[in-house]
């Protein structure tokens, strides 16, 4: 059962979302579109904390609202995973508090044995008379679950960030609590199709679909290439197969003329993908033999020292999180953005934008060989 106090000024209060497996509290500046997407995540049977965070960070890690999230496990023996940012707090009925006040992004931890959890946007709030709330969304600055909290009771323990190895001061680090913690689940990479040999030109007549006028435009200025008659008459190859799509045609055409795939970084900088690339605030060559090391600026330490690996596989890019603190926002040309973290990997298409944080983005694109590097 969820509970919440009636806000004094509903129009100025935050949002409370009570889902099947999540309790979410957000500051008042969140748009209704984001609230709707968070609700969809909160009621999805297969959703995990990373899915909720993906919605919040879609606009950029550097522009996040205050929030508190609790993910309840299917098995009562498992701990409750929480994430907290800004003035928001999470506290348990056994007198443990998690605060996001000192986090540059957010604090994450796991609370074992919790039988009551309270989320609040004001660390000084004490929780008074609470109204019951079923599954849904309401305007509120507090949200409680499980064992009721006595009004005015303050927790004894407060969770604070702990130092983490080589990360400099001010960087978000794993937190230490008086209970065991768990590692977020690692999502396996999707099954990879057989890669296209890099020394072979793609056969433009073996892929998807495109109209005849596009094919004609591609080859109209080439004296050595003539538009086949069957492409002037119908939309299929003589053997019944489909004609390739625009992306495949352009990619094949550019590959045939010597263009290369690469990353476009801020400031007009380009990086060819002729070998694996390691991105981060200060990655080292050790442990990444043969890879290209690319250092990016991160004034607010949102980007980890060794953050992300990208590897070209045919005409797609395999991106792998290197256990970065905040992860990477992956924005494909179509579809929703997602947060890649926890060592997970993903295969992305041409045109995908990778947001590492601190305003640093890397776009997977086709480069002019004369400007790459």
């Amino acid at each position: 059962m969820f509970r919440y106090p009636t806000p004094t000024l509903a129009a100025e209060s935050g949002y409370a979302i009570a889902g099947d497996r999540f309790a979410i509290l957000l500051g008042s500046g969140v748009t209704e579109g984001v609230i709707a997407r968070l609700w969809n995540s909160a009621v999805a049977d297969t959703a995990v904390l990373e899915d909720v965070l993906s919605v919040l960070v879609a606009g950029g890690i550097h522009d996040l609202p205050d929030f508190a999230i609790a993910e309840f496990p299917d098995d009562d023996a498992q701990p409750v995973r929480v994430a907290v940012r800004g003035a928001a707090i999470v506290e348990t009925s056994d007198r443990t508090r998690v605060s996001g006040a000192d986090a540059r992004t957010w604090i994450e931890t796991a609370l074992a044995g919790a039988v009551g959890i309270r989320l609040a946007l004001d660390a000084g709030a004490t929780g008074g008379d609470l109204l019951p709330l079923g599954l849904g969304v309401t305007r509120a600055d507090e949200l409680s679950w499980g064992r009721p909290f006595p009004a005015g009771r303050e927790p004894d323990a407060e969770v604070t960030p702990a130092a983490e190895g080589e990360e400099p001061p001010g960087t978000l680090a794993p937190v230490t609590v008086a209970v065991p913690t768990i590692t977020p689940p690692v999502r396996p990479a999707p099954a990879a199709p057989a890669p296209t040999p890099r020394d072979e030109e793609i056969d433009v007549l073996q892929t998807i679909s495109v109209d005849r006028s596009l094919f004609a435009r591609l080859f109209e200025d080439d004296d050595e290439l003539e538009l086949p008659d069957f492409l002037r008459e119908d939309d299929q190859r003589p053997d019944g197969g489909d004609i390739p799509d625009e992306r495949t045609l352009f990619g094949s055409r550019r590959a045939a003329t010597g263009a290369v795939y690469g990353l476009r970084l801020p400031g007009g900088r380009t990086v060819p993908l002729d070998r694996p690339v390691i991105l981060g605030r200060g990655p080292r060559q050790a442990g990444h033999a043969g890879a290209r090391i690319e250092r990016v600026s991160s004034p607010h330490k949102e980007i980890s020292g060794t953050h992300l690996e990208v590897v070209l596989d045919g005409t797609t890019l395999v991106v792998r999180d290197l256990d970065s603190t905040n992860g990477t926002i992956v924005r494909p040309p179509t579809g929703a953005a997602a947060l890649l973290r926890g060592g997970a990997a993903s295969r992305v298409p041409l045109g995908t934008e990778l947001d590492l944080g601190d305003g640093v983005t890397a776009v997977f694109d086709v480069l002019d060989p004369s400007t790459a590097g």
Side-chain angles (χ1 to χ4, degrees):
M1 171 63 73
F2 292 98
R3 298 178 178 84
Y4 74 101
T6 302
T8 304
L9 295 174
E12 298 178 6
S13 68
Y15 291 88
I17 301 176
D20 293 314
R21 300 180 58 244
F22 290 93
I24 306 172
L25 195 66
L26 301 139
S28 59
V30 181
T31 65
E32 292 182 357
V34 171
I35 296 298
R37 290 192 291 274
L38 285 170
W39 167 252
N40 290 335
S41 293
V43 297
D45 293 336
T46 59
V48 294
L49 182 60
E50 285 72 21
D51 296 315
V52 175
L53 290 172
S54 291
V55 176
L56 288 171
V57 304
I61 292 177
H62 54 285
D63 188 22
L64 293 170
D66 291 352
F67 64 78
I69 306 169
E71 178 191 4
F72 306 111
D74 296 325
D75 183 355
D76 291 340
Q78 297 297 316
V80 177
R81 296 176 64 198
V82 300
V84 191
R85 170 180 167 79
I89 64 164
V90 172
E91 65 182 34
T92 67
S93 54
D94 65 356
R95 308 172 76 83
T96 298
R97 172 179 286 181
V98 184
S99 171
D102 297 326
R104 290 188 179 275
T105 52
W106 61 83
I107 296 285
E108 276 186 55
T109 191
L111 305 174
V115 295
I117 286 183
R118 174 172 164 266
L119 290 66
L121 291 175
D122 180 0
T126 57
D129 295 331
L130 304 179
L131 300 176
L133 176 65
L135 302 184
V137 180
T138 189
R139 299 301 294 259
D141 293 326
E142 293 183 43
L143 183 62
S144 296
W145 164 85
R147 179 182 296 173
F149 286 76
R153 175 176 169 178
E154 290 293 329
D156 291 336
E158 181 163 347
V159 177
T160 56
E164 182 192 13
E166 64 179 10
E167 294 293 338
T171 301
L172 175 61
V175 298
T176 301
V177 294
V179 291
T181 60
I182 60 173
T183 302
V186 176
R187 295 183 175 183
T196 301
R198 299 181 185 180
D199 58 351
E200 297 181 11
E201 181 182 347
I202 300 171
D203 182 352
V204 297
L205 297 181
Q206 291 182 354
T207 42
I208 326 175
S209 66
V210 71
D211 62 35
R212 295 183 298 277
S213 61
L214 170 62
F215 196 96
R217 291 198 305 274
L218 287 172
F219 294 95
E220 64 184 356
D221 297 327
D222 197 317
D223 296 334
E224 298 180 1
L225 292 174
E226 182 177 353
L227 185 65
D229 290 337
F230 73 87
L231 289 176
R232 305 174 192 274
E233 299 171 356
D234 54 43
D235 293 325
Q236 288 191 321
R237 298 161 48 192
D239 61 1
D242 292 330
I243 300 168
D245 67 1
E246 180 176 352
R247 185 177 299 280
T248 302
L249 282 171
F250 275 104
S252 303
R253 187 79 177 101
R254 286 166 174 160
T257 57
V260 297
Y261 292 102
L263 298 176
R264 296 189 184 278
L265 299 177
R269 183 169 151 208
T270 59
V271 179
L273 292 167
D274 53 343
R275 50 181 164 148
V277 175
I278 306 298
L279 297 163
R281 198 177 65 248
R284 302 187 178 115
Q285 191 71 61
H288 302 288
R292 185 187 300 276
I293 301 300
E294 291 294 331
R295 294 176 174 84
V296 295
S297 176
S298 180
H300 298 102
K301 307 299 188 293
E302 292 179 357
I303 302 174
S304 294
T306 303
H307 196 99
L308 188 71
E309 177 189 59
V310 298
V311 180
L312 183 66
D313 187 1
T315 58
T316 61
L317 191 68
V318 177
V319 295
R320 182 168 66 92
D321 176 70
L322 298 177
D323 293 318
S324 64
T325 300
N326 299 324
T328 298
I329 305 169
V330 179
R331 298 189 183 96
T334 59
L339 180 63
L340 184 74
R341 58 193 302 237
S346 179
R347 184 180 294 272
V348 302
L350 195 67
T352 297
E353 179 185 82
L354 307 172
D355 187 342
L356 284 71
D358 257 338
V360 175
T361 59
V363 179
F364 175 36
D365 203 354
V366 175
L367 308 179
D368 183 336
S370 64
T371 63

